[in-house]
């Protein structure tokens, strides 16, 4: 069993209204030092190991997990820690 | 200037409908090896450096960025890379 961690972030230059809202909220709470906030996703997959796992994970990202127009992704494959 | 990366994830045992939907979608796309998916947030903050930055970031997480009832968080502080 493997644990795949996929990080999906907005491409540079893409407007991030959620990030903007977080930055403004933090500023209004008194945290003036926060100049910018950008929000992304972390998707943790528990998968059965397989010969071409990395290629299949790339496919999963291209087909479903990330929007190629607006988002970049990177992922890491590790041994799953038995709970 | 510092870059703070905050990872917000659902606590173990908390139902993750978004993760369930992703897992089922991947299975229906033919990726049967995916047994579970869990979704979290990555929040990247660009902040001015300050004496008690770590304590203030912890405060930001406790007050706004993470829901203490359902979510865990961890963060990392690094030098911001000048774009």
């Amino acid at each position: 069993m493997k644990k795949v961690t996929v990080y999906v972030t907005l491409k540079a230059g893409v407007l991030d209204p959620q990030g903007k809202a977080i930055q403004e909220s933090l500023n209004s709470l008194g945290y003036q030092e926060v100049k910018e906030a950008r929000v992304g996703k972390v998707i943790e997959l528990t998968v059965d190991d397989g010969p071409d796992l990395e290629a299949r994970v790339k496919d999963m990202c291209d087909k479903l997990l990330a929007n190629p127009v607006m988002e970049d992704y990177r992922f890491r494959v590790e041994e799953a820690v038995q709970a």
Side-chain angles (χ1 to χ4, degrees), chain A residues 28-50:
Chain A
S28 66
L29 283 172
Y31 301 104
Q32 303 301 336
E33 64 266 46
V34 177
K35 299 307 172 196
E36 187 188 27
R38 291 187 67 80
V39 182
K41 279 178 293 194
V42 183
I43 302 166
E44 279 178 12
L45 303 174
T46 306
V47 299
D48 284 336
D49 200 358

PDB file of all heavy atoms in Angstrom, chain A residues 28-50:
ATOM      1  N   SER A  28      -7.511  42.467   8.859  1.00  0.00           N
ATOM      2  CA  SER A  28      -8.522  43.105   9.720  1.00  0.00           C
ATOM      3  C   SER A  28      -8.462  42.563  11.145  1.00  0.00           C
ATOM      4  O   SER A  28      -8.908  43.208  12.090  1.00  0.00           O
ATOM      5  CB  SER A  28      -9.923  42.930   9.131  1.00  0.00           C
ATOM      6  OG  SER A  28     -10.249  41.568   9.163  1.00  0.00           O
ATOM      7  N   LEU A  29      -7.884  41.354  11.305  1.00  0.00           N
ATOM      8  CA  LEU A  29      -7.706  40.815  12.667  1.00  0.00           C
ATOM      9  C   LEU A  29      -6.451  41.389  13.326  1.00  0.00           C
ATOM     10  O   LEU A  29      -6.108  41.023  14.451  1.00  0.00           O
ATOM     11  CB  LEU A  29      -7.601  39.282  12.611  1.00  0.00           C
ATOM     12  CG  LEU A  29      -8.907  38.497  12.413  1.00  0.00           C
ATOM     13  CD1 LEU A  29      -8.613  37.010  12.181  1.00  0.00           C
ATOM     14  CD2 LEU A  29      -9.822  38.660  13.629  1.00  0.00           C
ATOM     15  N   GLY A  30      -5.733  42.246  12.562  1.00  0.00           N
ATOM     16  CA  GLY A  30      -4.558  42.887  13.160  1.00  0.00           C
ATOM     17  C   GLY A  30      -3.236  42.333  12.671  1.00  0.00           C
ATOM     18  O   GLY A  30      -2.169  42.752  13.115  1.00  0.00           O
ATOM     19  N   TYR A  31      -3.286  41.374  11.761  1.00  0.00           N
ATOM     20  CA  TYR A  31      -2.033  40.777  11.258  1.00  0.00           C
ATOM     21  C   TYR A  31      -1.616  41.498   9.974  1.00  0.00           C
ATOM     22  O   TYR A  31      -1.696  40.985   8.868  1.00  0.00           O
ATOM     23  CB  TYR A  31      -2.219  39.278  11.007  1.00  0.00           C
ATOM     24  CG  TYR A  31      -2.634  38.522  12.244  1.00  0.00           C
ATOM     25  CD1 TYR A  31      -3.948  38.095  12.416  1.00  0.00           C
ATOM     26  CD2 TYR A  31      -1.721  38.285  13.272  1.00  0.00           C
ATOM     27  CE1 TYR A  31      -4.338  37.428  13.568  1.00  0.00           C
ATOM     28  CE2 TYR A  31      -2.102  37.618  14.432  1.00  0.00           C
ATOM     29  CZ  TYR A  31      -3.416  37.199  14.570  1.00  0.00           C
ATOM     30  OH  TYR A  31      -3.799  36.545  15.707  1.00  0.00           O
ATOM     31  N   GLN A  32      -1.187  42.751  10.171  1.00  0.00           N
ATOM     32  CA  GLN A  32      -0.840  43.608   9.025  1.00  0.00           C
ATOM     33  C   GLN A  32       0.352  43.059   8.253  1.00  0.00           C
ATOM     34  O   GLN A  32       0.548  43.368   7.092  1.00  0.00           O
ATOM     35  CB  GLN A  32      -0.521  45.029   9.513  1.00  0.00           C
ATOM     36  CG  GLN A  32      -1.643  45.691  10.295  1.00  0.00           C
ATOM     37  CD  GLN A  32      -2.927  45.805   9.483  1.00  0.00           C
ATOM     38  OE1 GLN A  32      -2.884  45.808   8.240  1.00  0.00           O
ATOM     39  NE2 GLN A  32      -4.081  45.828  10.145  1.00  0.00           N
ATOM     40  N   GLU A  33       1.155  42.207   8.865  1.00  0.00           N
ATOM     41  CA  GLU A  33       2.361  41.713   8.193  1.00  0.00           C
ATOM     42  C   GLU A  33       2.047  40.789   7.008  1.00  0.00           C
ATOM     43  O   GLU A  33       2.899  40.533   6.166  1.00  0.00           O
ATOM     44  CB  GLU A  33       3.270  40.973   9.169  1.00  0.00           C
ATOM     45  CG  GLU A  33       2.691  39.696   9.778  1.00  0.00           C
ATOM     46  CD  GLU A  33       2.021  39.926  11.131  1.00  0.00           C
ATOM     47  OE1 GLU A  33       1.248  40.899  11.248  1.00  0.00           O
ATOM     48  OE2 GLU A  33       2.251  39.105  12.052  1.00  0.00           O
ATOM     49  N   VAL A  34       0.777  40.320   6.944  1.00  0.00           N
ATOM     50  CA  VAL A  34       0.418  39.399   5.858  1.00  0.00           C
ATOM     51  C   VAL A  34       0.188  40.201   4.582  1.00  0.00           C
ATOM     52  O   VAL A  34      -0.734  41.006   4.497  1.00  0.00           O
ATOM     53  CB  VAL A  34      -0.852  38.590   6.207  1.00  0.00           C
ATOM     54  CG1 VAL A  34      -1.242  37.688   5.035  1.00  0.00           C
ATOM     55  CG2 VAL A  34      -0.629  37.773   7.476  1.00  0.00           C
ATOM     56  N   LYS A  35       1.061  40.025   3.600  1.00  0.00           N
ATOM     57  CA  LYS A  35       0.998  40.812   2.362  1.00  0.00           C
ATOM     58  C   LYS A  35       0.216  40.080   1.278  1.00  0.00           C
ATOM     59  O   LYS A  35      -0.375  40.683   0.384  1.00  0.00           O
ATOM     60  CB  LYS A  35       2.419  41.107   1.863  1.00  0.00           C
ATOM     61  CG  LYS A  35       3.263  41.911   2.848  1.00  0.00           C
ATOM     62  CD  LYS A  35       2.569  43.181   3.293  1.00  0.00           C
ATOM     63  CE  LYS A  35       3.301  43.892   4.409  1.00  0.00           C
ATOM     64  NZ  LYS A  35       2.430  44.892   5.081  1.00  0.00           N
ATOM     65  N   GLU A  36       0.284  38.734   1.279  1.00  0.00           N
ATOM     66  CA  GLU A  36      -0.456  37.982   0.266  1.00  0.00           C
ATOM     67  C   GLU A  36      -0.788  36.598   0.823  1.00  0.00           C
ATOM     68  O   GLU A  36      -0.060  36.057   1.678  1.00  0.00           O
ATOM     69  CB  GLU A  36       0.384  37.835  -1.013  1.00  0.00           C
ATOM     70  CG  GLU A  36      -0.395  37.204  -2.176  1.00  0.00           C
ATOM     71  CD  GLU A  36       0.453  36.857  -3.408  1.00  0.00           C
ATOM     72  OE1 GLU A  36       1.662  36.610  -3.249  1.00  0.00           O
ATOM     73  OE2 GLU A  36      -0.110  36.812  -4.516  1.00  0.00           O
ATOM     74  N   ALA A  37      -1.914  36.035   0.349  1.00  0.00           N
ATOM     75  CA  ALA A  37      -2.268  34.647   0.710  1.00  0.00           C
ATOM     76  C   ALA A  37      -2.732  33.945  -0.556  1.00  0.00           C
ATOM     77  O   ALA A  37      -3.454  34.532  -1.373  1.00  0.00           O
ATOM     78  CB  ALA A  37      -3.380  34.641   1.755  1.00  0.00           C
ATOM     79  N   ARG A  38      -2.285  32.709  -0.737  1.00  0.00           N
ATOM     80  CA  ARG A  38      -2.746  31.918  -1.883  1.00  0.00           C
ATOM     81  C   ARG A  38      -3.136  30.543  -1.363  1.00  0.00           C
ATOM     82  O   ARG A  38      -2.438  29.974  -0.514  1.00  0.00           O
ATOM     83  CB  ARG A  38      -1.654  31.817  -2.965  1.00  0.00           C
ATOM     84  CG  ARG A  38      -1.419  33.171  -3.634  1.00  0.00           C
ATOM     85  CD  ARG A  38      -0.505  33.140  -4.805  1.00  0.00           C
ATOM     86  NE  ARG A  38      -0.959  32.427  -5.980  1.00  0.00           N
ATOM     87  CZ  ARG A  38      -1.824  32.909  -6.899  1.00  0.00           C
ATOM     88  NH1 ARG A  38      -2.408  34.069  -6.696  1.00  0.00           N
ATOM     89  NH2 ARG A  38      -2.124  32.224  -7.985  1.00  0.00           N
ATOM     90  N   VAL A  39      -4.279  30.036  -1.869  1.00  0.00           N
ATOM     91  CA  VAL A  39      -4.821  28.790  -1.338  1.00  0.00           C
ATOM     92  C   VAL A  39      -4.717  27.681  -2.384  1.00  0.00           C
ATOM     93  O   VAL A  39      -5.015  27.914  -3.558  1.00  0.00           O
ATOM     94  CB  VAL A  39      -6.299  28.977  -0.940  1.00  0.00           C
ATOM     95  CG1 VAL A  39      -6.872  27.708  -0.338  1.00  0.00           C
ATOM     96  CG2 VAL A  39      -6.438  30.123   0.064  1.00  0.00           C
ATOM     97  N   GLY A  40      -4.296  26.501  -1.945  1.00  0.00           N
ATOM     98  CA  GLY A  40      -4.244  25.342  -2.836  1.00  0.00           C
ATOM     99  C   GLY A  40      -4.859  24.142  -2.135  1.00  0.00           C
ATOM    100  O   GLY A  40      -5.371  24.246  -1.016  1.00  0.00           O
ATOM    101  N   LYS A  41      -4.769  22.977  -2.799  1.00  0.00           N
ATOM    102  CA  LYS A  41      -5.342  21.742  -2.227  1.00  0.00           C
ATOM    103  C   LYS A  41      -4.238  20.721  -1.968  1.00  0.00           C
ATOM    104  O   LYS A  41      -3.239  20.686  -2.694  1.00  0.00           O
ATOM    105  CB  LYS A  41      -6.316  21.100  -3.235  1.00  0.00           C
ATOM    106  CG  LYS A  41      -7.695  21.690  -3.286  1.00  0.00           C
ATOM    107  CD  LYS A  41      -8.550  21.019  -4.350  1.00  0.00           C
ATOM    108  CE  LYS A  41      -8.063  21.299  -5.756  1.00  0.00           C
ATOM    109  NZ  LYS A  41      -9.008  20.961  -6.813  1.00  0.00           N
ATOM    110  N   VAL A  42      -4.454  19.917  -0.934  1.00  0.00           N
ATOM    111  CA  VAL A  42      -3.602  18.746  -0.677  1.00  0.00           C
ATOM    112  C   VAL A  42      -4.530  17.533  -0.744  1.00  0.00           C
ATOM    113  O   VAL A  42      -5.532  17.505  -0.021  1.00  0.00           O
ATOM    114  CB  VAL A  42      -2.977  18.771   0.733  1.00  0.00           C
ATOM    115  CG1 VAL A  42      -2.047  17.573   0.920  1.00  0.00           C
ATOM    116  CG2 VAL A  42      -2.268  20.055   0.996  1.00  0.00           C
ATOM    117  N   ILE A  43      -4.246  16.614  -1.637  1.00  0.00           N
ATOM    118  CA  ILE A  43      -5.080  15.417  -1.761  1.00  0.00           C
ATOM    119  C   ILE A  43      -4.220  14.212  -1.393  1.00  0.00           C
ATOM    120  O   ILE A  43      -3.177  13.979  -2.022  1.00  0.00           O
ATOM    121  CB  ILE A  43      -5.633  15.272  -3.190  1.00  0.00           C
ATOM    122  CG1 ILE A  43      -6.444  16.519  -3.580  1.00  0.00           C
ATOM    123  CG2 ILE A  43      -6.488  14.014  -3.315  1.00  0.00           C
ATOM    124  CD1 ILE A  43      -6.740  16.626  -5.054  1.00  0.00           C
ATOM    125  N   GLU A  44      -4.611  13.514  -0.344  1.00  0.00           N
ATOM    126  CA  GLU A  44      -3.865  12.314   0.069  1.00  0.00           C
ATOM    127  C   GLU A  44      -4.619  11.074  -0.415  1.00  0.00           C
ATOM    128  O   GLU A  44      -5.787  10.889  -0.073  1.00  0.00           O
ATOM    129  CB  GLU A  44      -3.722  12.278   1.592  1.00  0.00           C
ATOM    130  CG  GLU A  44      -2.611  13.152   2.107  1.00  0.00           C
ATOM    131  CD  GLU A  44      -2.514  13.142   3.637  1.00  0.00           C
ATOM    132  OE1 GLU A  44      -3.163  12.274   4.255  1.00  0.00           O
ATOM    133  OE2 GLU A  44      -1.819  14.022   4.163  1.00  0.00           O
ATOM    134  N   LEU A  45      -3.948  10.278  -1.228  1.00  0.00           N
ATOM    135  CA  LEU A  45      -4.554   9.050  -1.762  1.00  0.00           C
ATOM    136  C   LEU A  45      -3.892   7.833  -1.119  1.00  0.00           C
ATOM    137  O   LEU A  45      -2.661   7.786  -1.003  1.00  0.00           O
ATOM    138  CB  LEU A  45      -4.362   8.980  -3.287  1.00  0.00           C
ATOM    139  CG  LEU A  45      -4.885  10.137  -4.132  1.00  0.00           C
ATOM    140  CD1 LEU A  45      -4.476   9.953  -5.593  1.00  0.00           C
ATOM    141  CD2 LEU A  45      -6.401  10.257  -4.011  1.00  0.00           C
ATOM    142  N   THR A  46      -4.693   6.885  -0.704  1.00  0.00           N
ATOM    143  CA  THR A  46      -4.178   5.577  -0.283  1.00  0.00           C
ATOM    144  C   THR A  46      -4.419   4.639  -1.454  1.00  0.00           C
ATOM    145  O   THR A  46      -5.573   4.471  -1.885  1.00  0.00           O
ATOM    146  CB  THR A  46      -4.924   5.087   0.978  1.00  0.00           C
ATOM    147  OG1 THR A  46      -4.837   6.097   1.982  1.00  0.00           O
ATOM    148  CG2 THR A  46      -4.333   3.775   1.479  1.00  0.00           C
ATOM    149  N   VAL A  47      -3.337   4.095  -2.015  1.00  0.00           N
ATOM    150  CA  VAL A  47      -3.471   3.283  -3.231  1.00  0.00           C
ATOM    151  C   VAL A  47      -2.721   1.968  -3.099  1.00  0.00           C
ATOM    152  O   VAL A  47      -1.708   1.886  -2.395  1.00  0.00           O
ATOM    153  CB  VAL A  47      -2.933   4.042  -4.477  1.00  0.00           C
ATOM    154  CG1 VAL A  47      -3.698   5.330  -4.737  1.00  0.00           C
ATOM    155  CG2 VAL A  47      -1.451   4.330  -4.335  1.00  0.00           C
ATOM    156  N   ASP A  48      -3.230   0.950  -3.789  1.00  0.00           N
ATOM    157  CA  ASP A  48      -2.466  -0.299  -3.928  1.00  0.00           C
ATOM    158  C   ASP A  48      -1.269  -0.006  -4.818  1.00  0.00           C
ATOM    159  O   ASP A  48      -1.374   0.718  -5.814  1.00  0.00           O
ATOM    160  CB  ASP A  48      -3.354  -1.374  -4.597  1.00  0.00           C
ATOM    161  CG  ASP A  48      -4.394  -1.951  -3.629  1.00  0.00           C
ATOM    162  OD1 ASP A  48      -4.133  -1.869  -2.395  1.00  0.00           O
ATOM    163  OD2 ASP A  48      -5.445  -2.421  -4.075  1.00  0.00           O
ATOM    164  N   ASP A  49      -0.110  -0.595  -4.458  1.00  0.00           N
ATOM    165  CA  ASP A  49       1.079  -0.409  -5.281  1.00  0.00           C
ATOM    166  C   ASP A  49       0.883  -1.105  -6.626  1.00  0.00           C
ATOM    167  O   ASP A  49       0.068  -2.018  -6.757  1.00  0.00           O
ATOM    168  CB  ASP A  49       2.294  -1.007  -4.552  1.00  0.00           C
ATOM    169  CG  ASP A  49       3.590  -0.418  -5.099  1.00  0.00           C
ATOM    170  OD1 ASP A  49       3.478   0.409  -6.048  1.00  0.00           O
ATOM    171  OD2 ASP A  49       4.657  -0.762  -4.598  1.00  0.00           O
ATOM    172  N   GLY A  50       1.614  -0.639  -7.637  1.00  0.00           N
ATOM    173  CA  GLY A  50       1.505  -1.240  -8.968  1.00  0.00           C
ATOM    174  C   GLY A  50       2.715  -0.860  -9.782  1.00  0.00           C
ATOM    175  O   GLY A  50       3.463   0.057  -9.400  1.00  0.00           O
TER     176      GLY A  50
END
